[in-house]
Amino acid sequence: MAEDLDELLDEVESKFCSPDPLRLDMVERPRGGGGVLSNDRNRAEAKENLRSTEAFKKEDDLDSLINEIFEEPNFDKKHFKLKSKSSGNTSVRASIRGLGKSCSPVYLGGSAVPCGIGTNTSQRACDRLRCVACDFWVVSYDDHRWDRSCDYLFFRNNMPEFHKLKTKLVKKKGTRAYACQCSWRTIEDLTDLQTDHQLHWVCGKH
């Protein structure tokens, strides 16, 4: 009887004390008499060992997750990367805008003068005028002139809404009515903008 118990213990130690707990289910049942009680005890020990190893695994997994959270990506860095990308796009857009051509010299003209980029060889009326005094784009209306009753307050209060401005527009063929929020002109012939020193209009680039 004692020899059988020793054999069982040796078999349990060799099979259940192995480092791989997943193979416990495949262990053969011990042979010989009186093996029912010892077999139950062995199963209980095996289950206990399996539970403990699973618990250790879970703890290890939790530890690794916690370490990943603290060691892994710094969200601020990603955020800064995104910011730098957006700022890069802005600078690209700005550089593209900077490549736009400006009129030189800047011309105004009546409705018979074509609009576009004005140069010494191509005398065109600029249609991208901007006022540096009031920071408004200059509007223009072909075959119209401004009524003589126009004043500063009229443009100050009504720019750039056409349905309000048209109350002071008078039809006249061949003329072009220009206006920003602080200045207005009726032009009939090709005119160099530099000759009118009261206007603060510049070419806003095409």
Side-chain angles (χ1 to χ4, degrees), residues 136-201:
F136 266 69
W137 287 102
V138 177
V139 297
S140 63
Y141 304 104
D142 287 350
D143 296 322
H144 284 83
R145 66 172 178 82
W146 293 114
D147 189 77
R148 291 179 182 177
S149 63
C150 288
D151 58 8
Y152 170 78
L153 286 175
F154 170 75
F155 292 101
R156 177 78 178 177
N157 295 327
N158 298 311
M159 274 293 291
E161 298 174 21
F162 174 70
H163 68 280
K164 292 181 180 179
L165 293 173
K166 68 180 181 180
T167 59
K168 297 282 187 180
L169 281 170
V170 181
K171 284 190 177 182
K172 186 180 179 183
K173 195 167 184 181
T175 61
R176 185 177 283 148
Y178 291 88
C180 62
Q181 197 181 39
C182 63
S183 303
W184 63 99
R185 291 289 184 275
T186 299
I187 306 293
E188 191 168 359
D189 301 317
L190 187 72
T191 307
D192 190 335
L193 185 61
Q194 288 184 345
T195 60
D196 193 333
H197 301 291
Q198 293 181 340
L199 292 177
H200 300 283
W201 297 348

Side-chain angles (χ1 to χ4, degrees), residues 9-168:
L9 288 171
D10 291 339
E11 194 172 347
V12 167
E13 284 178 6
S14 63
K15 292 185 178 180
F16 292 117
C17 296
S18 62
D20 189 1
L22 298 175
R23 299 182 62 188
L24 292 176
D25 293 336
M26 301 173 65
V27 175
E28 296 180 2
R29 293 183 180 180
R31 298 173 186 174
V36 177
L37 290 173
S38 61
N39 196 22
D40 290 341
R41 194 186 308 147
N42 292 339
R43 280 185 187 171
E45 287 178 5
K47 284 181 182 176
E48 195 64 34
N49 288 337
L50 190 59
R51 280 182 197 146
S52 62
T53 51
E54 285 178 355
F56 284 132
K57 277 190 177 181
K58 286 179 183 176
E59 285 179 7
D60 289 341
D61 291 342
L62 283 173
D63 289 339
S64 62
L65 284 172
I66 291 168
N67 289 333
E68 281 179 12
I69 289 169
F70 285 109
E71 292 174 5
E72 255 312 279
N74 194 338
F75 294 105
D76 293 337
K77 288 180 183 176
K78 288 187 177 180
H79 189 59
F80 289 134
K81 282 181 183 176
L82 290 174
K83 276 190 176 178
S84 64
K85 282 182 183 177
S86 61
S87 62
N89 291 339
T90 308
S91 62
V92 168
R93 285 195 204 105
S95 63
I96 289 170
R97 283 180 190 166
L99 293 173
K101 294 182 179 180
S102 299
C103 295
S104 179
V106 182
Y107 291 111
L108 305 177
S111 59
V113 179
C115 294
I117 302 173
T119 63
N120 288 321
T121 55
S122 176
Q123 296 179 333
R124 295 174 179 270
C126 181
D127 55 354
R128 293 283 296 166
L129 293 168
R130 191 174 187 91
C131 181
V132 295
C134 64
D135 200 29
F136 266 69
W137 287 102
V138 177
V139 297
S140 63
Y141 304 104
D142 287 350
D143 296 322
H144 284 83
R145 66 172 178 82
W146 293 114
D147 189 77
R148 291 179 182 177
S149 63
C150 288
D151 58 8
Y152 170 78
L153 286 175
F154 170 75
F155 292 101
R156 177 78 178 177
N157 295 327
N158 298 311
M159 274 293 291
E161 298 174 21
F162 174 70
H163 68 280
K164 292 181 180 179
L165 293 173
K166 68 180 181 180
T167 59
K168 297 282 187 180

